[in-house]
Amino acid sequence: MKKLSLLFFLVTSIATAQTIRFEGIIQDNTKAPLEMANIMAMNQGTKTMDAYAITNDKGKFVLNLKPNATYTIKLSYLGMQNKEITVTTQTQNITQNITMESGGIELDGVEIVREMPVSIKGDTIVYNADSFKTGTERKLEDVLKKLPGVEVNADGEVEVEGKKVTKLMVEGKDFFDGDTKLGVKNIPADAIDKVQVLRNYNENSILKGVENNQDNVAMNIKLKSGKKNFWFGDVTAAGGFCPESKFDRYNVNPKLFYYSPKYSVNIITNFNNIGELPLTIQDYFKFTGGFRNMMSKGGSSFNVSSNDLGISLLRNNRAKEIETDFGATNFSYNPTKSWTISGFAILSSSITDLETVSTTNFLDPTSTEVASTENRAEIAHQKSNLGLFKLSSSYKPNTNFQFDYDILAKFSKQDENNSLLRETIDEADNSTTEDIFTAKKQDPVSLNQNLSFYYTAAEKHVFAFESQHLYQDENPFYNANLQSDPFTSTLPPSNILGYDTTQNRTDLNQNRFVKTNKLDSKLDYYYMLTPKSNINLTLGNTYSNQNFNSSMYQVLDNGNVNDLDNTTNTNDVTYRFNDAFLGVHYKVLTGKFTFTPGVSFHTYALNNEQLGTSYKQNFTRILPDFLALYQIKKAETLTYNFSFTNNFTDINRQAEGFVLNNYSSLSSGNRTLENAVQQSHSLRYFKYNMFNFENISAAVSYNRTVDAIKTRAFFNNVNQVSSPYNSEFADESMSFFGSYGRSFFKYYKASLNVNLNWGKFNNIQIDRNTFQDVLITNESFTQIYNLRASTNFKNLPNIELGYSYTINDYPNDTFFTDRPTIKLDYFFLKSFSFVSEYEFYHYYNKDKSVENEYDFLSASLIYQKTKDSKWEYKISATNLLNTTSLNDDNFSQFSTRTSQYRVQPRYVMLSLKYNL
């Protein structure tokens, strides 16, 4: 690493040597400084742009120029006449103030904006993509990572100025309803002309002036002229081998795109067995299809949980074996100028093998010592079929009216078979081992519909109606086949499930059926008191009707079925929830401050029908909230948020019959649960300086939950029985995020990120000797530090250095991960691109009783004769060092777990790509 750091220093030193500093202030004819004016230097000798800048809040600019050269300095600013001056450099730095004259925007001003690598127009930042490309970029992701102020994480999420991009568009049309991952991983880099960042974004222009949009960021990709009204994209076919096995690896990846003013079509497919996952199970469950959290202002939280059985999730795309078939299409069509129809269809099928070795330490309720330990070696085989379909319609005949309708359907079929060898060690160091087989199946269906209209009745009167309906049908099936009888002596009386304990193996099965109908509706009225203040009245209602049915049975050694149909093992529950509320908010802009105080009045009605009786709750609540925004400067803000939220659980924790969570865990619900009240405070600071692309963001939040819905658990060695209850002790959590990044000169980019998360949690654990409740309070503290620096040269190798340090401090142990990384990319001989990445992991705990070191190296060499050539040839290799496994850990309030899982071996791939 020392040699690599020295190389980075030498490259940067060479690039920054022999430059002349040209600086000054750009002002208007009253001597007032002009913030965010565009200035660039065109070398008259080479006819190229050598430097550019955007002025800071004091109108200051700095350009680093070549000595002994003559430059045309071009200036542009919205509302000012474009200006050109000539500057000749020698060997001394130059200081000069420049005055611009008021006037209209001339046509050649458009040309100046287009040539500028970065320009600003109102709330929009425009990046000229070609100014940052070095020749090795293949996808949108590669381009975005080189833009100042833009970050892309491993999950394909994009952040600009420290804020997450919530919508991605191409030519103003939603790309798969704004999903950033599919866009950054698939849109070809050579098709991108401009990247537009839309700050303070609201997709509904009618509400833009009355709502707070300061945290909303969207991104629009402008295509090159040759990519419009023509099909473009690429078709890739690759074959390869693992050196330790036969030639059996493949990757077929066609992608086609078409954009015109009237309609657009995107087609993305991928068939491979090398671990590429365009859409993971996590992506599927969190894919909202662009649906908004329309009740977020109401003060109530009623979230429908997913009965997903805990299907094992991948660590990114790393598993022992992954085979994927993926296809997706997205379209947008304008029958008229005022009507847009759009939609998408996504289908994904994958087969995955996971192999994991783990250790789980269960905590003693009277101390932070380990009470028992479970060691597992498990192999899981998964089959997953996922489907997403959406159709949208938006009708906007004029600026005062808009009518929208959306329908999103989600289908899936998932199977997982798992075999494991378990060793359990109790507090007396007695050890037992057994083999266990489990099977999980589920094919849930959900249908989400949204209907909304927005209407400006007069200059001071704005109406908005939104309604959203969710239908969800889930039917998870679980089977556990064990050598032991895990629940025979868990709690008095013994054998609480009532299964036959004389069998050679205990074969338990459970069916669950959960149906949900949930309707959210609200009507907003905005009255503009003044151009800088308004009153917002909200009348809303949330109604949910859920049905939960479950049953268990045992398969005996002879194949007969033993129905475990006593009342403690079955559920037949109907749960209805209704929240009617009235909200009042007042928004006012005064000087640099924006204040939005508000309060909502709620009437709740809950009805739980099970066990032949009905349990009802009816009550009212008043919930305040407050937002304050201090606009320190044009690109510097301080925001404070405060709210009280009533959190309600859904039917899954209301059903009082036992539910088999896994082979060692039973749970029963509690129909008398009350809502938890969460008090939240957050303070966020943000500063963005286009002068040197300095980006500073920091946020601290504190949450305190009273009457939190917690878990009362009993452990018999490692087997658990639990039920929820309302805790009289408050849970607390605090988090901090800080980020600093900036660009240096023209070629360098560096950033530092810090994430701190602390939590204090209260639960009740039953002492297995006295059967008395013991309150346990656990704290966890996670720290993540990331440092990154990179270059962006046109004709030199580019290096990206990174270092990540993670500390997970749990009640009985602390785990550390050191992770230095380096990436090298080089475009050379006008035809070749070389890209290589290396990452090293050092994983260990406090006393180093757990320790592992592993690293990953990948490399690829690409040949494309010219940038306009249709054919591209590539040889690539992944996991060149043939690392076999990775480590991770987690904390669950009752236990800590560390695990090691196998990953795919090294592959060498030969690929051929044809560019349309």
Side-chain angles (χ1 to χ4, degrees), residues 469-472 515-519 543-547:
H469 175 253
L470 169 67
Y471 171 77
Q472 187 168 284
K515 287 189 177 181
T516 300
N517 275 283
K518 182 171 177 280
L519 179 65
Y543 174 76
S544 173
N545 186 309
Q546 294 182 291
N547 299 102

Side-chain angles (χ1 to χ4, degrees), residues 239-250 273-274 320-321 876-880 882-883 902-910:
F241 62 95
C242 171
E244 288 76 21
S245 64
K246 57 185 178 180
F247 193 98
D248 61 352
R249 301 292 107 181
Y250 65 88
N273 63 353
I274 61 173
K320 183 180 179 181
E321 187 78 20
S876 61
T878 59
N879 195 8
L880 274 166
N882 208 26
T883 295
R902 290 188 65 86
V903 297
Q904 294 180 99
R906 65 178 149 225
Y907 297 139
V908 178
M909 302 290 292
L910 301 172

Side-chain angles (χ1 to χ4, degrees), residues 295-313:
M295 307 302 281
S296 58
K297 275 196 311 184
S300 294
S301 174
F302 182 85
N303 295 317
V304 178
S305 58
S306 175
N307 290 268
D308 60 9
L309 283 178
I311 295 288
S312 301
L313 301 178

Side-chain angles (χ1 to χ4, degrees), residues 173-226:
K173 304 177 188 297
D174 287 357
F175 191 86
F176 287 92
D177 270 340
D179 177 72
T180 58
K181 181 176 180 178
L182 287 177
V184 300
K185 300 290 185 183
N186 290 284
I187 296 175
D190 61 1
I192 302 166
D193 182 33
K194 300 287 186 295
V195 177
Q196 296 177 331
V197 175
L198 312 175
R199 300 176 292 181
N200 302 313
Y201 178 77
N202 193 318
E203 56 187 317
N204 190 309
S205 59
I206 295 175
L207 300 182
K208 186 174 178 62
V210 296
E211 291 192 332
N212 294 308
N213 308 304
Q214 63 276 359
D215 289 330
N216 296 347
V217 179
M219 182 173 285
N220 182 45
I221 306 301
K222 300 291 289 183
L223 301 174
K224 292 186 174 180
S225 57

Side-chain angles (χ1 to χ4, degrees), residues 396-411:
K396 190 175 182 180
N398 53 61
T399 58
N400 295 325
F401 181 80
Q402 182 171 333
F403 177 78
D404 297 333
Y405 174 76
D406 307 278
I407 181 169
L408 172 69
K410 300 172 73 172
F411 305 90

Side-chain angles (χ1 to χ4, degrees), residues 26 33-39 53-61 75-80 100 113 116 118-125 161 199 631 633-636 686-691 693-694:
I26 299 178
L34 298 178
E35 182 182 1
M36 296 188 180
N38 301 317
I39 178 170
I54 296 175
T55 57
N56 66 8
D57 58 306
K58 297 181 176 59
K60 183 179 179 180
F61 70 90
L75 302 97
S76 65
Y77 186 81
L78 193 64
M80 295 287 181
M100 298 186 70
V113 171
M116 281 287 292
V118 184
S119 59
I120 295 181
K121 187 176 182 180
D123 284 334
T124 302
I125 304 174
E161 302 178 351
R199 300 176 292 181
Q631 192 76 42
K633 295 177 182 176
K634 185 177 291 188
E636 185 177 10
F686 163 74
K687 179 181 180 181
Y688 192 70
N689 186 354
M690 292 295 292
F691 173 66
F693 299 105
E694 182 183 57

